[in-house]
Amino acid sequence: MKKHILCLGDSNTHGYCADPADCADGGSRFNEDERWTCLLQKALGPDVLVTEEGLSGRTTVFQDPLHETMDALTVVYSLLKSHETVDLLIIMLGTNDSKERLGANASCIAIGMERLVRKAQSVDCWGDHAPNILIVCPPPIRPEMELAECGEPMGKGCLEKTRELHKYYKKTARLVGAHYLDAKDCEFNAVDGMHLTRKGHAQLAALLAELVPGLLPG
């Protein structure tokens, strides 16, 4: 059986491309040669299976009044059970949690991540090893978001919340016994300020390709 890595995230795991000129296919989603999940798969080789679970708009635990089933907490049990055995769960969420209408500051977003991780740890999907989770803090939102049309529904305060998130997530990882990676240097685009560029996907894949082999159970 291959080592199985499940990647739970939002549009930056799904591979949304805000700038079609940055995507080889000229569409709204990076292809399998560009997405960080697929690049990680190539880097880790045939003995590892990397599975994507990316949903645009997904949050940790906060229910969105405008869209249904956006919170990962509601679905994490079924996702983990449908993909068991899971050797490593990578969670990269937090960008959407910063939306003004959800009313959560950076500290509350981190508490949401804690609750999500603890739920994932409680699911019987880990085989004969202990729960194994990596929290990835997404890059902070760029100022361009406030000028973009798609940024209007995000509301105010998102930049400040996501800039503070790393220090809270790092504490959360220690608290719940999870691994931690700060993706702050992975490039977000200058179109909407909150999605990875093709370069950003490659940067994140490279960081994970270096880190992940040491996290997989023997």
Side-chain angles (χ1 to χ4, degrees):
M1 182 76 73
K2 295 181 179 182
K3 297 294 184 182
H4 189 188
I5 300 172
L6 180 62
C7 304
L8 178 61
D10 52 27
S11 52
N12 279 310
T13 297
H14 181 75
Y16 175 74
C17 178
D19 179 9
D22 190 37
C23 178
D25 298 332
S28 61
R29 189 185 188 193
F30 289 107
N31 67 27
E32 291 77 10
D33 293 319
E34 299 169 314
R35 295 197 300 274
W36 70 263
T37 48
C38 300
L39 294 174
L40 178 61
Q41 173 70 84
K42 292 178 181 179
L44 296 178
D47 293 331
V48 176
L49 173 64
V50 178
T51 304
E52 304 168 322
E53 280 291 352
L55 174 65
S56 296
R58 177 173 279 156
T59 66
T60 54
V61 301
F62 302 102
Q63 296 186 7
D64 193 323
L66 301 183
H67 308 285
E68 60 188 65
T69 323
M70 287 292 106
D71 61 298
L73 185 67
T74 300
V75 298
V76 70
Y77 177 88
S78 57
L79 289 181
L80 287 170
K81 290 298 287 184
S82 66
H83 291 295
E84 67 175 320
T85 301
V86 177
D87 293 292
L88 175 65
L89 173 64
I90 299 176
I91 305 176
M92 186 169 73
L93 291 168
T95 302
N96 292 295
D97 300 61
S98 71
K99 291 174 179 176
E100 183 181 17
R101 65 179 179 267
L102 300 181
N105 59 26
S107 177
C108 288
I109 295 170
I111 294 172
M113 177 62 80
E114 176 190 346
R115 186 181 177 199
L116 176 61
V117 169
R118 291 194 186 280
K119 176 65 177 180
Q121 290 171 331
S122 75
V123 179
D124 180 20
C125 67
W126 304 99
D128 59 0
H129 61 83
N132 192 22
I133 299 174
L134 169 63
I135 297 172
V136 178
C137 184
I141 293 173
R142 292 173 48 140
E144 287 87 352
M145 185 224 78
E146 296 180 332
L147 303 176
E149 182 178 353
C150 63
E152 293 180 5
M154 294 286 291
K156 299 178 181 179
C158 301
L159 277 66
E160 293 76 15
K161 294 175 188 178
T162 58
R163 286 170 181 166
E164 296 176 355
L165 197 54
H166 69 98
K167 61 184 180 183
Y168 292 105
Y169 270 13
K170 189 173 184 178
K171 292 179 181 177
T172 296
R174 290 199 300 266
L175 180 65
V176 299
H179 311 290
Y180 176 73
L181 175 67
D182 188 350
K184 63 183 176 62
D185 294 326
C186 297
E187 184 179 76
F188 267 1
N189 69 67
V191 175
D192 65 13
M194 54 184 174
H195 287 99
L196 292 166
T197 61
R198 177 160 46 176
K199 178 181 178 181
H201 276 269
Q203 290 171 323
L204 180 55
L207 289 173
L208 288 167
E210 182 176 355
L211 176 65
V212 163
L215 305 182
L216 294 174

